[in-house]
Amino acid sequence: MTDKLLLRALAGETLPIPPIWMMRQAGRYLPEYRATRAEAGDFLSLCYTSDLAAEVTLQPIRRYGFDAAILFADILLIPDALGADLWFVTGEGPRLSTITTEADFAKLKGADDIHDHLAPVYETLRILSRELPAETALIGFAGAPWTVATYMIAGRGTPDQGPAHALKAENRALFETLIDRLTDATIEYLSMQVQAGAETVKLFDSWAGSLKGDEFIRYAVEPAKRIIAELKARHPGLPVIAFPREAGEGYIGFAKTTGADCVAIDNSVSAAWAAANVQVDGCVQGNLDPRHMVTGGDDLVAETRRIVKAFSNGPHIFNLGHGITPDADPANVQMMIDTVREGA
Ligand code: CP3
């Protein structure tokens, strides 16, 4: 049995004080991250330079002693490895070559051909498994097929995932072929991450909330189910965290139907609702609005305590409902951690 608190919570244990980590814990709100990023030159070089990626992964562990480190990389490295050009425009976000026709799709590589390109990511994990403190769990991750597809189809981030919804309506066969290719590539990628030292993996479906009804089942639930089943077949006992962000009532039963060991909850639902409807099936993670990391004060303390209390009767990993933002104050992160660990 492991001593790592994060792995114990994922195994279904109710702990007196929940383990803590934070989405985007290595990021621009930290001066030491900005310094290493400047050394790397740009964001993608940082992702693909293993010793620097390991360094930024370790920075929030040194500063705060989080219970888990998440691999520093990006969900868009898979499209990059598949051959869709990827670049980041400072202040705007990611850009990729678009996939809207069969000819665009035909240029992509096969799901098994991504490993040479992603070798630096696996090396980052190997460095981290050597260098992390014994009590810190190592989390690998990938984007879920639907979320990654929304960026590949549009060639950028979109507020409503319009281009992906349009392709789905106009050429469903092509859309589904892309989802299948991404599902296969995600299995290969995460499986290699586990071989390189990841002790759990998280599937980020940041845009799951824009899939409704049957389409939520087909393009959020089914791919997650296939990825999780295959990973667990290859790596028995591997715990998996799923994040179908803004799924709303789609959170209900998500762990059971997909086989996920933990469901990450955004901040659009209340912790009390999530405790009653999601935690009944196992571990939950998340829910604190990332704005509290900017605003701090009594509201941060009260809201942190409320979430800890709401989830105190079952397995729980303390986290935010989405990534911490660059304008966050590092002191507020410490205040959140102190509040959780005081057990108040
Ligand atoms: O959580 C972590 O600390 C691990 C590393 C990580 C990053 N991105 C680093 C990153 C993880 C898990 C991600 C996931 C990711 N990337 C998601 C899913 C989670 C979510 O936020 O919904 C998505 C949609 C992306 C795609 C992406 N990457 C966008 C849209 C952007 C630009 C927006 C922004 O914040 O600048 C990124 C860039 C990115 N990924 C940064 C970091 C630290 C900022 C890059 C920089 O240093 O300028």
Side-chain angles (χ1 to χ4, degrees):
M1 188 62 197
T2 174
D3 292 336
K4 299 189 185 189
L5 293 178
L6 186 104
L7 300 180
R8 286 171 59 184
L10 288 175
E13 203 177 322
T14 303
L15 296 161
I17 294 173
I20 315 173
W21 69 281
M22 204 172 57
M23 279 187 266
R24 291 275 173 102
Q25 62 190 22
R28 285 166 293 186
Y29 75 106
L30 289 179
E32 59 268 39
Y33 169 85
R34 294 196 298 270
T36 310
R37 187 183 183 284
E39 193 186 324
D42 60 83
F43 172 67
L44 274 183
S45 305
L46 180 53
C47 291
Y48 289 127
T49 308
S50 309
D51 56 338
L52 296 183
E55 165 59 23
V56 293
T57 307
L58 290 164
Q59 286 168 351
I61 309 303
R62 286 189 206 116
R63 186 189 266 256
Y64 298 115
F66 282 117
D67 295 289
I70 182 161
L71 163 73
F72 190 84
D74 197 84
I75 65 162
L76 300 177
L77 300 190
I78 284 236
D80 200 28
L82 286 169
D85 290 337
L86 170 68
W87 68 102
F88 279 80
V89 180
T90 309
E92 289 187 37
R95 295 287 184 277
L96 305 93
S97 44
T98 57
I99 309 278
T100 54
T101 65
E102 277 82 1
D104 298 332
F105 181 82
K107 288 187 209 145
L108 295 181
K109 290 188 196 161
D112 293 318
D113 299 331
I114 57 175
H115 297 308
D116 284 351
H117 186 93
L118 295 167
V121 177
Y122 310 141
E123 178 58 19
T124 305
L125 286 162
R126 282 190 288 268
I127 297 172
L128 289 167
S129 358
R130 287 197 301 269
E131 297 198 357
L132 277 171
E135 66 276 14
T136 316
L138 179 53
I139 306 172
F141 75 91
W146 159 249
T147 287
V148 175
T150 65
Y151 288 92
M152 292 179 82
I153 294 164
R156 58 190 298 160
T158 47
D160 58 358
Q161 298 73 59
H165 286 292
L167 183 69
K168 169 160 58 58
E170 286 154 18
N171 190 345
R172 193 172 290 263
L174 175 61
F175 172 80
E176 292 190 344
T177 312
L178 178 60
I179 294 286
D180 286 344
R181 175 69 54 87
L182 288 170
T183 303
D184 291 337
T186 304
I187 291 167
E188 299 310 321
Y189 181 44
L190 290 177
S191 186
M192 284 295 274
Q193 289 190 24
V194 174
Q195 287 180 52
E199 296 167 292
T200 177
V201 292
K202 178 168 174 182
L203 206 49
F204 284 87
D205 211 348
S206 303
W207 300 119
S210 82
L211 291 168
K212 301 298 173 199
D214 182 49
E215 295 196 331
F216 179 79
I217 306 295
R218 286 167 73 179
Y219 306 126
V221 173
E222 291 299 331
K225 189 175 167 181
R226 187 148 83 77
I227 291 164
I228 294 169
E230 184 59 30
L231 287 174
K232 285 178 179 277
R234 293 187 195 182
H235 310 281
L238 175 75
V240 180
I241 305 169
F243 183 32
R245 192 170 74 92
E246 294 192 353
E249 63 190 47
Y251 277 125
I252 300 172
F254 196 86
K256 270 194 177 154
T257 30
T258 61
D261 301 87
C262 176
V263 176
I265 311 278
D266 65 80
N267 41 280
S268 72
V269 298
S270 75
W273 179 88
N277 291 284
V278 190
Q279 200 185 25
V280 286
D281 293 333
C283 189
V284 291
Q285 167 187 282
N287 197 236
L288 183 67
D289 189 331
R291 296 315 298 167
H292 288 295
M293 297 299 108
V294 181
T295 53
D298 292 347
D299 285 354
L300 160 56
V301 172
E303 196 55 15
T304 299
R305 285 187 180 147
R306 214 175 55 75
I307 290 170
V308 170
K309 186 157 188 285
F311 290 135
S312 62
N313 294 322
H316 172 215
I317 296 165
F318 196 89
N319 204 312
L320 308 179
H322 202 192
I324 188 169
T325 50
D327 54 345
D329 180 349
N332 290 334
V333 176
Q334 189 63 56
M335 198 194 295
M336 170 191 82
I337 293 170
D338 292 345
T339 305
V340 174
R341 291 193 175 151
E342 272 157 19

